[in-house]
Amino acid sequence: GIVPGQHHDAGAEPHPGRLRGQIGQQIDRGGDLTDAGEMVFDHADVPLAVLHQSLIVLIAWWLIAAASGPGAYANVQAFTGSIIGKLIVFGYTWALLHHMLSGLRHLVWDLGYGFKPNEREALTWGALIAGISLTVLVWIIAYTVGGGR
């Protein structure tokens, strides 16, 4: 078995079955937006799937508009400046930061640390809370630098 603090093969993080009922299992099931298979078949993840799809459409629209000219680009900018647009971009900011921090959590596991239940919980809550905190901080800085636009 895996002994915390000892070297082991990469990818030996806790099996999802060992996380049953813990926050780590809940976050792992829906927190990483790249696992499309889980989102398609798990109804609890429908809001995340909708957010993910709307982000793909928004990014595609933005890129096409940027290539199409100033008029098309102004339309995208008007949408992203609306309340709905800002909420979508805020959600996307959180998703990116949470995914990055969850990756660091998995790196810690791959290094052989953080396998005890209380350590797994602390790492998972840390990723969640830090993701939310960093998202708010990024938006505060963006509004400060951008003059509230």
Side-chain angles (χ1 to χ4, degrees):
I2 296 171
V3 177
Q6 290 185 354
H7 179 74
H8 65 281
D9 291 333
E13 59 213 26
H15 185 275
R18 291 179 54 198
L19 301 176
R20 192 165 320 285
Q22 296 179 0
I23 185 69
Q25 179 189 27
Q26 305 307 316
I27 296 298
D28 276 347
R29 286 178 59 230
D32 294 338
L33 295 176
T34 57
D35 192 356
E38 288 247 342
M39 288 193 290
V40 169
F41 297 108
D42 188 352
H43 297 295
D45 294 328
V46 169
L48 287 175
V50 169
L51 175 64
H52 190 230
Q53 297 305 313
S54 66
L55 294 171
I56 291 170
V57 169
L58 182 62
I59 291 170
W61 183 27
W62 178 69
L63 290 172
I64 292 167
S68 298
Y73 190 76
N75 290 334
V76 175
Q77 290 299 95
F79 175 76
T80 57
S82 71
I83 296 293
I84 281 276
K86 286 181 181 178
L87 285 173
I88 290 171
V89 176
F90 185 87
Y92 188 50
T93 306
W94 171 78
L96 287 173
L97 291 170
H98 175 71
H99 189 76
M100 177 192 70
L101 293 167
S102 290
L104 292 175
R105 174 173 50 104
H106 283 263
L107 176 63
V108 168
W109 286 342
D110 286 343
L111 293 173
Y113 300 97
F115 288 103
K116 294 177 185 170
N118 62 329
E119 293 170 340
R120 287 192 311 259
E121 288 287 305
L123 286 170
T124 303
W125 278 107
L128 180 63
I129 292 167
I132 293 168
S133 301
L134 285 174
T135 299
V136 171
L137 181 63
V138 163
W139 276 70
I140 289 171
I141 291 170
Y143 264 78
T144 303
V145 171
R149 289 180 277 141

